Amino acid sequence: MRTAVYVDGFNLFHSLLDGRRGAKWLDLHALASAALRPHNTIRLVRYFTARVKATDDDPGKPTRQDFYIRALRARDVVVHWGTFKERPKRRRLVDPPPPPASRYAEVWHREEKGSDVNLAVHMVNDAWSNAYDCAVVISNDSDLAEACHLVRSLGKVVGIIGSPQRPATELAHCSDFYRRIDLAVVRRCQLPHVLVDAQGRQLACPDSWRLEEGRKE
């Protein structure tokens, strides 16, 4: 069965990878293969993400992301970019001070824009183009439910790969199967520590992402 895989990068990161060493240098082909059945032949992997910015406490974020993106492309993963938007927002305090102090505070609100829409559009377009028989979505974002419904209406099989928690109800209702993955599976599906990109340059897993010998977390 010709299979295309659509990866919601930030959903995957926050559900399984954030704060876990030995997990972030992830081989998406290997991860999908580990979760799927032998009759699924992976023909296409699309990865949807956005550029991260350096922060005072972690100035190396963009460099690590760039290395990972180059590593994915060396594995024939197609990368699609959304954006991050940051703007001030007025929020009500959970535990406000007594009057006359304000019950509200101005905070910086940061959100990713475009990745879920990009994923949905490409998945539906690939279905219309008959690029696959089975679409596999690595995400637990319920906003993708309508795209999954449309893909199934075109006669395609839809599967969801996600964390051990229960899938979003909307996704469960619009998919043909659900496969759970956990941290142990993720750590078995890592890219080689060093690989070579299309330009012949060596790409090494960032040291801070590696799991030290004998360490579990």
Side-chain angles (χ1 to χ4, degrees):
M1 181 178 286
R2 297 174 305 149
T3 301
V5 180
Y6 301 85
V7 184
D8 180 344
F10 279 91
N11 193 283
L12 173 63
F13 179 84
H14 289 295
S15 64
L16 267 176
L17 310 183
D18 193 13
R20 272 86 180 249
R21 294 181 68 104
K24 298 175 186 176
W25 195 238
L26 183 58
D27 186 333
L28 299 176
H29 281 274
L31 182 70
S33 295
L36 298 172
R37 301 293 184 252
H39 64 262
N40 290 101
T41 302
I42 298 172
R43 298 286 186 86
L44 171 67
V45 178
R46 296 189 186 275
Y47 181 73
F48 300 85
T49 188
R51 289 285 185 191
V52 299
K53 293 183 178 180
T55 58
D56 290 341
D57 62 332
D58 191 356
K61 278 183 180 180
T63 300
R64 293 196 302 272
Q65 184 189 43
D66 180 62
F67 265 64
Y68 183 57
I69 294 301
R70 287 164 56 194
L72 291 181
R73 286 174 169 155
R75 291 298 213 202
D76 296 322
V77 173
V78 183
V79 178
H80 302 271
W81 295 103
T83 58
F84 269 119
K85 301 289 186 183
E86 188 174 59
R87 59 193 176 92
K89 256 193 173 182
R90 187 173 171 82
R91 299 289 196 184
R92 189 159 62 95
L93 295 170
V94 173
D95 187 15
S102 175
R103 299 174 59 87
Y104 294 85
E106 195 89 354
V107 300
W108 284 109
H109 178 73
R110 196 173 186 222
E111 59 183 336
E112 185 196 6
K113 303 292 287 185
S115 288
D116 54 351
V117 174
N118 291 343
L119 192 157
V121 168
H122 279 282
M123 183 169 65
V124 173
N125 185 62
D126 289 342
W128 283 333
S129 303
N130 195 31
Y132 60 77
D133 306 306
C134 173
V136 173
V137 179
I138 301 182
S139 180
N140 198 31
D141 186 348
S142 59
D143 289 344
L144 299 173
E146 185 61 21
C148 292
H149 279 299
L150 287 172
V151 167
R152 292 182 79 196
S153 74
L154 294 170
K156 307 300 184 181
V157 175
V158 173
I160 307 295
I161 293 177
S163 61
Q165 289 74 34
R166 294 178 62 183
T169 302
E170 296 87 349
L171 289 179
H173 289 163
C174 67
S175 59
D176 296 288
F177 63 86
Y178 182 79
R179 301 277 189 269
R180 289 178 169 85
I181 51 174
D182 58 22
L183 185 58
V185 173
V186 167
R187 283 182 171 155
R188 289 198 300 269
C189 297
Q190 297 296 294
L191 293 161
H193 281 326
V194 179
L195 49 81
V196 179
D197 67 12
Q199 287 73 44
R201 298 171 299 186
Q202 284 196 342
L203 302 170
C205 175
D207 290 341
S208 63
W209 287 4
R210 298 189 185 190
L211 187 67
E212 291 94 338
E213 191 70 29
R215 178 173 171 172
K216 294 184 178 180
E217 188 61 58

